[in-house]
Amino acid sequence: MELSNRFDEALVYAHGLHRAQKRKGTEIPYVAHLIGVASITSEHGGDEDQAIAALLHDAPEDQGGKATLEEIRRRFGDGVAAIVGDCTDAWTEPKPPWIKRKQDYVAALGSKPLRSMLVSLADKTYNAEAIATDYETLGEAVFARFSTDAAGVRWYYGALGEVFRQRMNGPLATRYTNAVKRFAAAP
């Protein structure tokens, strides 16, 4: 797949939206996550719309809700906007309680189109690998970054894994599962 100027424009737009953000508990620019998710999506068969959606998957949730989704639709089309919408777990500020958002996301995930599922799986794989790497260095302290406790994080990533294995079983789901295993069991 060759990426066009649309991808370039999406990268600049995503960086502008998330410029002031860092990854939870780190000094890593948030755009690194977005680029990583786009990379994983592309490496596992995603097309340009999916790669663009990967760059923009957190934009509505973190940067303006439905108005941002409509701007994404205007700039990048209905296909990208549909995937981004499917990857969003909160449309309001303040966000609903963490457990409710995550339960609802897991419950809805199984019925999402496979195009959206790939971007979600790429996102969650990137996150799981980051958690696993930090867990190996920081231990249980890594879970202080979250709006829930270690048990909640472990539940969420386990529940996601069940859906991904059912709907997207293959190399990326295996990669995800292997990452989660690295932090799944409490010491």
Side-chain angles (χ1 to χ4, degrees), residues 104-126:
D104 290 349
Y105 186 82
V106 170
L109 186 60
S111 64
K112 300 294 182 189
L114 292 178
R115 295 180 54 70
S116 300
M117 292 270 304
L118 175 59
V119 175
S120 179
L121 177 54
D123 173 37
K124 303 314 183 214
T125 299
Y126 186 98

mmCIF file of all heavy atoms in Angstrom, residues 104-126:
data_model
loop_
_atom_site.group_PDB
_atom_site.id
_atom_site.type_symbol
_atom_site.label_atom_id
_atom_site.label_comp_id
_atom_site.label_asym_id
_atom_site.label_seq_id
_atom_site.Cartn_x
_atom_site.Cartn_y
_atom_site.Cartn_z
ATOM 1 N N ASP A 104 -18.834 -0.896 28.551
ATOM 2 C CA ASP A 104 -19.615 -0.590 27.356
ATOM 3 C C ASP A 104 -18.791 -0.804 26.087
ATOM 4 O O ASP A 104 -19.296 -1.325 25.090
ATOM 5 C CB ASP A 104 -20.138 0.848 27.395
ATOM 6 C CG ASP A 104 -21.221 1.060 28.451
ATOM 7 O OD1 ASP A 104 -21.733 0.073 29.023
ATOM 8 O OD2 ASP A 104 -21.543 2.243 28.710
ATOM 9 N N TYR A 105 -17.516 -0.409 26.124
ATOM 10 C CA TYR A 105 -16.653 -0.572 24.952
ATOM 11 C C TYR A 105 -16.479 -2.058 24.619
ATOM 12 O O TYR A 105 -16.619 -2.459 23.465
ATOM 13 C CB TYR A 105 -15.294 0.095 25.193
ATOM 14 C CG TYR A 105 -14.413 0.099 23.971
ATOM 15 C CD1 TYR A 105 -14.569 1.064 22.983
ATOM 16 C CD2 TYR A 105 -13.420 -0.862 23.798
ATOM 17 C CE1 TYR A 105 -13.768 1.070 21.844
ATOM 18 C CE2 TYR A 105 -12.615 -0.869 22.668
ATOM 19 C CZ TYR A 105 -12.793 0.102 21.698
ATOM 20 O OH TYR A 105 -11.996 0.090 20.578
ATOM 21 N N VAL A 106 -16.186 -2.855 25.626
ATOM 22 C CA VAL A 106 -16.006 -4.299 25.404
ATOM 23 C C VAL A 106 -17.300 -4.916 24.876
ATOM 24 O O VAL A 106 -17.271 -5.715 23.934
ATOM 25 C CB VAL A 106 -15.532 -5.011 26.692
ATOM 26 C CG1 VAL A 106 -15.575 -6.526 26.533
ATOM 27 C CG2 VAL A 106 -14.127 -4.556 27.072
ATOM 28 N N ALA A 107 -18.437 -4.533 25.461
ATOM 29 C CA ALA A 107 -19.721 -5.093 25.033
ATOM 30 C C ALA A 107 -20.021 -4.757 23.570
ATOM 31 O O ALA A 107 -20.565 -5.586 22.841
ATOM 32 C CB ALA A 107 -20.842 -4.581 25.935
ATOM 33 N N ALA A 108 -19.660 -3.554 23.131
ATOM 34 C CA ALA A 108 -19.950 -3.134 21.759
ATOM 35 C C ALA A 108 -18.903 -3.626 20.760
ATOM 36 O O ALA A 108 -19.196 -3.760 19.572
ATOM 37 C CB ALA A 108 -20.033 -1.614 21.689
ATOM 38 N N LEU A 109 -17.710 -3.909 21.219
ATOM 39 C CA LEU A 109 -16.601 -4.230 20.327
ATOM 40 C C LEU A 109 -16.890 -5.428 19.427
ATOM 41 O O LEU A 109 -16.555 -5.414 18.244
ATOM 42 C CB LEU A 109 -15.328 -4.482 21.140
ATOM 43 C CG LEU A 109 -14.042 -4.702 20.368
ATOM 44 C CD1 LEU A 109 -13.710 -3.491 19.503
ATOM 45 C CD2 LEU A 109 -12.900 -5.000 21.330
ATOM 46 N N GLY A 110 -17.524 -6.440 19.943
ATOM 47 C CA GLY A 110 -17.777 -7.651 19.172
ATOM 48 C C GLY A 110 -18.647 -7.456 17.948
ATOM 49 O O GLY A 110 -18.611 -8.258 17.025
ATOM 50 N N SER A 111 -19.408 -6.361 17.911
ATOM 51 C CA SER A 111 -20.281 -6.122 16.760
ATOM 52 C C SER A 111 -19.735 -5.052 15.814
ATOM 53 O O SER A 111 -20.390 -4.705 14.842
ATOM 54 C CB SER A 111 -21.680 -5.713 17.250
ATOM 55 O OG SER A 111 -21.603 -4.485 17.950
ATOM 56 N N LYS A 112 -18.547 -4.562 16.081
ATOM 57 C CA LYS A 112 -17.947 -3.542 15.205
ATOM 58 C C LYS A 112 -17.466 -4.194 13.913
ATOM 59 O O LYS A 112 -17.064 -5.362 13.894
ATOM 60 C CB LYS A 112 -16.765 -2.861 15.896
ATOM 61 C CG LYS A 112 -17.111 -2.144 17.185
ATOM 62 C CD LYS A 112 -18.004 -0.967 16.962
ATOM 63 C CE LYS A 112 -18.277 -0.258 18.280
ATOM 64 N NZ LYS A 112 -19.290 0.749 18.167
ATOM 65 N N PRO A 113 -17.454 -3.418 12.827
ATOM 66 C CA PRO A 113 -16.910 -3.952 11.572
ATOM 67 C C PRO A 113 -15.436 -4.330 11.733
ATOM 68 O O PRO A 113 -14.712 -3.703 12.520
ATOM 69 C CB PRO A 113 -17.061 -2.781 10.590
ATOM 70 C CG PRO A 113 -18.072 -1.874 11.200
ATOM 71 C CD PRO A 113 -17.967 -2.049 12.683
ATOM 72 N N LEU A 114 -14.988 -5.326 10.987
ATOM 73 C CA LEU A 114 -13.601 -5.767 11.081
ATOM 74 C C LEU A 114 -12.616 -4.650 10.744
ATOM 75 O O LEU A 114 -11.512 -4.612 11.275
ATOM 76 C CB LEU A 114 -13.357 -6.989 10.198
ATOM 77 C CG LEU A 114 -14.071 -8.265 10.651
ATOM 78 C CD1 LEU A 114 -13.799 -9.404 9.675
ATOM 79 C CD2 LEU A 114 -13.675 -8.650 12.064
ATOM 80 N N ARG A 115 -13.021 -3.717 9.892
ATOM 81 C CA ARG A 115 -12.148 -2.574 9.571
ATOM 82 C C ARG A 115 -11.850 -1.763 10.824
ATOM 83 O O ARG A 115 -10.724 -1.322 11.038
ATOM 84 C CB ARG A 115 -12.811 -1.678 8.511
ATOM 85 C CG ARG A 115 -12.974 -2.371 7.170
ATOM 86 C CD ARG A 115 -13.616 -1.480 6.130
ATOM 87 N NE ARG A 115 -12.954 -0.195 5.945
ATOM 88 C CZ ARG A 115 -11.761 -0.023 5.389
ATOM 89 N NH1 ARG A 115 -11.078 -1.069 4.962
ATOM 90 N NH2 ARG A 115 -11.253 1.180 5.243
ATOM 91 N N SER A 116 -12.847 -1.573 11.644
ATOM 92 C CA SER A 116 -12.671 -0.847 12.900
ATOM 93 C C SER A 116 -11.946 -1.699 13.929
ATOM 94 O O SER A 116 -11.118 -1.189 14.695
ATOM 95 C CB SER A 116 -14.031 -0.412 13.459
ATOM 96 O OG SER A 116 -14.698 0.439 12.558
ATOM 97 N N MET A 117 -12.255 -2.977 13.941
ATOM 98 C CA MET A 117 -11.619 -3.889 14.900
ATOM 99 C C MET A 117 -10.110 -3.909 14.715
ATOM 100 O O MET A 117 -9.369 -3.980 15.699
ATOM 101 C CB MET A 117 -12.159 -5.310 14.743
ATOM 102 C CG MET A 117 -13.596 -5.487 15.148
ATOM 103 S SD MET A 117 -13.846 -5.921 16.863
ATOM 104 C CE MET A 117 -12.894 -7.376 17.051
ATOM 105 N N LEU A 118 -9.631 -3.852 13.474
ATOM 106 C CA LEU A 118 -8.187 -3.860 13.249
ATOM 107 C C LEU A 118 -7.535 -2.650 13.912
ATOM 108 O O LEU A 118 -6.503 -2.789 14.579
ATOM 109 C CB LEU A 118 -7.855 -3.888 11.755
ATOM 110 C CG LEU A 118 -6.354 -3.780 11.429
ATOM 111 C CD1 LEU A 118 -5.554 -4.911 12.056
ATOM 112 C CD2 LEU A 118 -6.146 -3.717 9.920
ATOM 113 N N VAL A 119 -8.118 -1.484 13.768
ATOM 114 C CA VAL A 119 -7.548 -0.283 14.377
ATOM 115 C C VAL A 119 -7.617 -0.386 15.898
ATOM 116 O O VAL A 119 -6.654 -0.055 16.597
ATOM 117 C CB VAL A 119 -8.240 0.995 13.856
ATOM 118 C CG1 VAL A 119 -7.720 2.236 14.578
ATOM 119 C CG2 VAL A 119 -8.039 1.126 12.345
ATOM 120 N N SER A 120 -8.715 -0.873 16.433
ATOM 121 C CA SER A 120 -8.831 -1.065 17.882
ATOM 122 C C SER A 120 -7.783 -2.053 18.380
ATOM 123 O O SER A 120 -7.114 -1.800 19.395
ATOM 124 C CB SER A 120 -10.236 -1.559 18.243
ATOM 125 O OG SER A 120 -10.336 -1.758 19.633
ATOM 126 N N LEU A 121 -7.628 -3.166 17.675
ATOM 127 C CA LEU A 121 -6.643 -4.166 18.078
ATOM 128 C C LEU A 121 -5.229 -3.603 18.000
ATOM 129 O O LEU A 121 -4.408 -3.852 18.894
ATOM 130 C CB LEU A 121 -6.780 -5.426 17.218
ATOM 131 C CG LEU A 121 -5.780 -6.558 17.460
ATOM 132 C CD1 LEU A 121 -5.732 -6.993 18.919
ATOM 133 C CD2 LEU A 121 -6.119 -7.743 16.543
ATOM 134 N N ALA A 122 -4.932 -2.819 16.981
ATOM 135 C CA ALA A 122 -3.612 -2.188 16.879
ATOM 136 C C ALA A 122 -3.385 -1.233 18.051
ATOM 137 O O ALA A 122 -2.303 -1.220 18.666
ATOM 138 C CB ALA A 122 -3.481 -1.461 15.548
ATOM 139 N N ASP A 123 -4.391 -0.443 18.381
ATOM 140 C CA ASP A 123 -4.309 0.490 19.505
ATOM 141 C C ASP A 123 -4.077 -0.254 20.817
ATOM 142 O O ASP A 123 -3.164 0.069 21.591
ATOM 143 C CB ASP A 123 -5.604 1.306 19.572
ATOM 144 C CG ASP A 123 -5.711 2.193 20.805
ATOM 145 O OD1 ASP A 123 -4.687 2.764 21.243
ATOM 146 O OD2 ASP A 123 -6.842 2.334 21.322
ATOM 147 N N LYS A 124 -4.878 -1.257 21.063
ATOM 148 C CA LYS A 124 -4.766 -1.989 22.328
ATOM 149 C C LYS A 124 -3.467 -2.796 22.386
ATOM 150 O O LYS A 124 -2.892 -2.971 23.465
ATOM 151 C CB LYS A 124 -5.973 -2.897 22.550
ATOM 152 C CG LYS A 124 -7.322 -2.187 22.538
ATOM 153 C CD LYS A 124 -7.358 -0.917 23.344
ATOM 154 C CE LYS A 124 -8.762 -0.328 23.342
ATOM 155 N NZ LYS A 124 -8.798 1.112 23.358
ATOM 156 N N THR A 125 -2.980 -3.263 21.241
ATOM 157 C CA THR A 125 -1.691 -3.962 21.223
ATOM 158 C C THR A 125 -0.571 -2.997 21.585
ATOM 159 O O THR A 125 0.298 -3.322 22.410
ATOM 160 C CB THR A 125 -1.442 -4.603 19.844
ATOM 161 O OG1 THR A 125 -2.478 -5.565 19.590
ATOM 162 C CG2 THR A 125 -0.088 -5.281 19.778
ATOM 163 N N TYR A 126 -0.577 -1.829 20.996
ATOM 164 C CA TYR A 126 0.434 -0.820 21.331
ATOM 165 C C TYR A 126 0.401 -0.521 22.830
ATOM 166 O O TYR A 126 1.433 -0.493 23.499
ATOM 167 C CB TYR A 126 0.197 0.457 20.518
ATOM 168 C CG TYR A 126 1.291 1.472 20.711
ATOM 169 C CD1 TYR A 126 2.322 1.584 19.789
ATOM 170 C CD2 TYR A 126 1.296 2.323 21.820
ATOM 171 C CE1 TYR A 126 3.341 2.518 19.970
ATOM 172 C CE2 TYR A 126 2.312 3.243 22.008
ATOM 173 C CZ TYR A 126 3.329 3.339 21.082
ATOM 174 O OH TYR A 126 4.333 4.254 21.279
#
